[in-house]
Amino acid sequence: MANCFVYSYVLNGKLKYSQLTLEQINDWDDEDGLLWLHLNYNSPDAQEWIKNSDLPDIEKDSLLASRIRPRANRSKDGLFLALRAINLNDSPKEDDMTSVRGYFTKHLIVTTSNHDIDSLQSIANHIRDGFGPKNTGSFIVSLCDHLASHKMNLIDILDDQVTDLEDRILAKADPDLRSDVAVIRRQTVYTRRYVAPQRDALA
């Protein structure tokens, strides 16, 4: 099997903040420290690794599901989170909001998505720079903090768009105004559809 891991970092222990090879991952033991693995769940190699792993069956299915709502499930062995991430390009669109899932235990973190996630990239950058999360709890806090920060950026964009519409209303009649309002309304509705369940999942 090829190395199917987007990120494969040790967060504590002797190899703290090291990125592991596939061979090292396969030989990893709980006593070696906390391991974070991130995979693209659309990758056949990633799907094979998850299906053949020692993760609980219900978590395997959730990590690989094509669609999943934001939620949090606690078990005796760990915590599963399904959250929504926003990657901002020129403007917020439906395609910019994607699912990020994670199964968290004391010794292992496995996250999956089907797109690059800015929030996870930020965490990986912090790890490479030597000041990333050192345990499972701080990883979850860091992930939620980055996700919230990106949502605030989206809110700022929508706020700027509304301000622009207000200026156009005051300036003169604009034939494109109704269409622009409809676009912002759709963006707001779509964002609310996923932000509200995510808020409840993290409450």
Side-chain angles (χ1 to χ4, degrees):
M1 181 192 302
N3 191 334
C4 56
F5 302 99
V6 181
Y7 306 120
S8 54
Y9 286 105
V10 183
L11 303 187
N12 56 33
K14 291 185 295 184
L15 294 178
K16 178 180 175 181
Y17 295 160
S18 299
Q19 186 160 13
L20 301 189
T21 65
L22 179 60
E23 182 179 0
Q24 288 175 308
I25 292 170
N26 290 335
D27 292 337
W28 195 252
D29 186 86
D30 286 350
E31 296 181 358
D32 295 328
L34 173 60
L35 179 61
W36 170 38
L37 303 174
H38 180 68
L39 308 93
N40 183 323
Y41 62 77
N42 282 337
S43 162
D45 286 334
Q47 294 170 6
E48 180 182 354
W49 185 89
I50 290 175
K51 290 176 181 177
N52 292 331
S53 71
D54 294 329
L55 299 175
D57 288 340
I58 189 171
E59 314 304 355
K60 293 180 184 179
D61 293 340
S62 297
L63 289 169
L64 294 174
S66 58
R67 285 183 173 273
I68 192 168
R69 296 281 290 176
R71 60 184 174 87
N73 289 339
R74 186 181 298 276
S75 65
K76 67 176 183 178
D77 297 317
L79 172 70
F80 175 82
L81 286 176
L83 303 171
R84 284 279 167 171
I86 295 176
N87 289 339
L88 298 179
N89 298 313
D90 294 332
S91 63
K93 306 184 296 296
E94 181 169 327
D95 290 343
D96 292 326
M97 188 171 288
T98 187
S99 173
V100 55
R101 308 90 181 270
Y103 180 60
F104 305 87
T105 72
K106 183 177 180 181
H107 302 290
L108 178 65
I109 297 171
V110 179
T111 56
T112 64
S113 65
N114 65 341
H115 293 290
D116 292 336
I117 303 294
D118 292 342
S119 298
L120 293 178
Q121 178 65 63
S122 296
I123 293 175
N125 289 341
H126 291 169
I127 292 171
R128 282 194 288 266
D129 291 339
F131 59 96
K134 299 179 178 64
N135 54 53
T136 303
S138 62
F139 185 98
I140 294 173
V141 169
S142 181
L143 174 59
C144 293
D145 183 59
H146 284 295
L147 292 176
S149 176
H150 283 89
K151 288 180 176 63
M152 290 303 298
N153 290 339
L154 171 61
I155 292 171
D156 288 341
I157 289 175
L158 293 176
D159 184 61
D160 289 342
Q161 291 176 344
V162 170
T163 300
D164 178 64
L165 289 177
E166 291 173 343
D167 291 341
R168 288 159 58 186
I169 290 172
L170 293 174
K172 61 179 179 179
D174 189 330
D176 296 326
L177 192 57
R178 179 173 296 181
S179 174
D180 292 343
V181 170
V183 169
I184 294 178
R185 181 179 291 116
R186 285 196 301 271
Q187 292 169 345
T188 304
V189 168
Y190 184 80
T191 302
R192 184 184 296 117
R193 183 187 305 166
Y194 287 101
V195 169
Q198 182 155 302
R199 175 200 60 203
D200 296 339
L202 295 174

